[in-house]
Amino acid sequence: MLQRQNPSTPERRRNPAADGGALSMPHNDSRSFFNLSQLVLSAGQIKPSPALKHSKITYFEVEIVDVHSRKQICIVDKVPPTSTLLDVKHKFHKACPQWYPSRVGLQLERNGPFLKDSVSIQSLAVSSIVTLYFTDLGQQVGWTTFFLTEYTGPLLIYLLFYIRLSTIYDQVESRKNFRHPVVHLACFCHCLHYIRHLLETLFVHKFSEGHTPLKNMIKGCAFYWGFTSWIAYYINHPRYTPPSFGHKQVSYAALAFLMCEAGNHFINVALAHQTNSGNRTCFPSPTYNPFTWLFLLVSCPNYTYEAGSWISFTVMTQTLPAGIFAFLMVIQMSLWAQKKHKLYLKRFYPEVRRKAAMIPIIF
């Protein structure tokens, strides 16, 4: 009996260990913990610390220097390489609250051009310190405010002259003299022109977030408002005489005016559609709309239609102030058209090289 039971004793001692019994648990846990510790020590850190990554980023210091006195205004430190010039302007505004971003003009050289807000600091940096020259651009206004103010004035001023205020005209003479139909037609055309400009400013044109000096808006308002007062005074005067060729001259000129206004609107819509769609690889091409066919001859048909509107208005009313205003507008539009035409030649050379800038006959 004893000899038979002795061989089975080791089997009973080995079974709890083989079956994962309670007696082997501490031994296995300590062994697993030891193996895990050795693995961690041999492998090092499993994941690198984020702080080590950030420490490798090179920050720039932007030194703002007055363009006239060459004195240092402030230093904008810890500027990331991905920052733009607009970000620097915002930080500069926090340091110097009297200069808000749209009023700040920054140059890489004293006589160089003003840098755009979208320029990255990394593209300007030669070393870790970037020196920029500061110019105070003066009080600024947005482009939408600029055009709304410029176009609202002529609309209201012309209506004040049209109703013949007692402070402007003699009331006895105003009631005595009969108004020619061209006076009413001229008021309609003039108001239509500026209402179209206002609506296109709000719903068609897409302006950048840039700004322009307040003095430019004052100059533009003085030009448009002043000429509107001069033109409206003569057309709505009680002694105004109708055009020499009568009804035919007025009718044909009014029809040409309306066609130019429609053409100008459709060209502006086509240009705005090109900007919104993001297709900048080719020049705008004419569509089924006949008013856009002028794209075949000139690169700036909106200026052609604008000049045509004021020439037609001059023929319709036959007044000297309107003629002088139309002459000045043709000169201004031609200068703008030449400037845009040069830009179009750089971007769309194959499509634009045989076109005129504004006048179809002159190539």
Side-chain angles (χ1 to χ4, degrees), residues 22-324:
L23 296 176
S24 64
M25 289 284 292
H27 176 72
N28 288 340
D29 289 344
S30 60
R31 186 175 181 180
S32 300
F33 178 77
F34 176 78
N35 293 336
L36 180 62
S37 303
Q38 292 295 327
L39 178 63
V40 172
L41 292 175
S42 61
Q45 289 184 342
I46 298 176
K47 192 173 183 180
S49 176
L52 294 178
K53 286 187 175 182
H54 289 294
S55 63
K56 296 180 181 179
I57 297 178
T58 303
Y59 290 96
F60 294 99
E61 290 185 357
V62 180
E63 181 187 19
I64 309 296
V65 179
D66 186 80
V67 70
H68 300 293
S69 63
R70 298 186 182 183
K71 293 182 179 180
Q72 184 187 98
I73 300 176
C74 74
I75 293 180
V76 181
D77 57 351
K78 294 185 179 180
V79 179
T82 57
S83 297
T84 61
L85 208 64
L86 183 60
D87 300 329
V88 175
K89 288 183 178 181
H90 282 291
K91 292 184 177 181
F92 177 62
H93 173 58
K94 291 181 180 179
C96 304
Q98 67 271 26
W99 292 310
Y100 47 89
S102 62
R103 188 168 181 165
V104 176
L106 297 177
Q107 302 162 270
L108 195 60
E109 299 176 356
R110 290 190 64 194
N111 298 325
F114 290 108
L115 300 173
K116 295 182 178 180
D117 291 344
S118 58
V119 175
S120 64
I121 296 299
Q122 192 171 12
S123 63
L124 303 175
V126 180
S127 63
S128 60
I129 300 177
V130 181
T131 301
L132 297 177
Y133 293 94
F134 162 76
T135 301
D136 186 6
L137 300 178
Q139 191 171 356
Q140 305 286 302
V141 293
W143 284 111
T144 303
T145 305
F146 177 88
F147 288 111
L148 289 178
T149 306
E150 193 175 67
Y151 296 144
T152 303
L155 178 64
L156 300 178
I157 290 172
Y158 197 97
L159 292 175
L160 292 177
F161 283 92
Y162 177 73
I163 61 178
R164 290 182 176 178
L165 296 176
S166 58
T167 56
I168 302 176
Y169 302 111
D170 181 68
Q171 292 299 305
V172 177
E173 193 174 14
S174 299
R175 287 191 294 266
K176 186 186 299 184
N177 295 341
F178 173 74
R179 290 197 188 193
H180 194 273
V182 71
V183 176
H184 305 290
L185 183 61
C187 180
F188 170 77
C189 292
H190 191 276
C191 293
L192 176 66
H193 177 79
Y194 285 102
I195 289 175
R196 178 183 64 80
H197 273 303
L198 290 172
L199 293 178
E200 288 178 352
T201 301
L202 293 174
F203 304 109
V204 177
H205 297 301
K206 301 298 180 182
F207 302 104
S208 63
E209 295 183 358
H211 297 77
T212 185
L214 179 63
K215 60 182 180 180
N216 290 345
M217 189 180 74
I218 295 175
K219 291 179 182 178
C221 291
F223 178 78
Y224 280 98
W225 295 14
F227 265 103
T228 299
S229 302
W230 193 20
I231 293 171
Y233 176 80
Y234 277 91
I235 296 177
N236 296 286
H237 199 280
R239 297 183 184 181
Y240 169 76
T241 55
S244 304
F245 296 95
H247 180 70
K248 287 185 178 181
Q249 179 178 346
V250 173
S251 300
Y252 290 138
L255 181 61
F257 178 87
L258 295 177
M259 290 181 64
C260 289
E261 287 294 304
N264 201 341
H265 171 70
F266 288 119
I267 293 297
N268 289 331
V269 171
L271 293 174
H273 178 72
Q274 180 205 19
T275 304
N276 293 337
S277 61
N279 184 16
R280 299 175 182 269
T281 58
C282 60
F283 187 75
S285 57
T287 62
Y288 62 89
N289 189 340
F291 290 104
T292 62
W293 294 351
L294 200 56
F295 272 123
L296 297 172
L297 302 176
V298 297
S299 59
C300 302
N302 52 329
Y303 294 146
T304 306
Y305 282 124
E306 183 76 12
S309 295
W310 288 112
I311 294 174
S312 303
F313 187 84
T314 301
V315 175
M316 180 179 64
T317 58
Q318 195 173 316
T319 53
L320 180 63
I324 296 175

Side-chain angles (χ1 to χ4, degrees), residues 282-284 295-300 337 340-357 363:
C282 60
F283 187 75
F295 272 123
L296 297 172
L297 302 176
V298 297
S299 59
C300 302
K340 279 195 172 183
H341 186 69
K342 291 180 180 179
L343 296 177
Y344 287 153
L345 285 174
K346 294 179 181 179
R347 296 174 56 189
F348 315 111
Y349 176 73
E351 297 92 344
V352 185
R353 65 187 182 91
R354 293 187 176 274
K355 301 178 188 294
F363 288 90

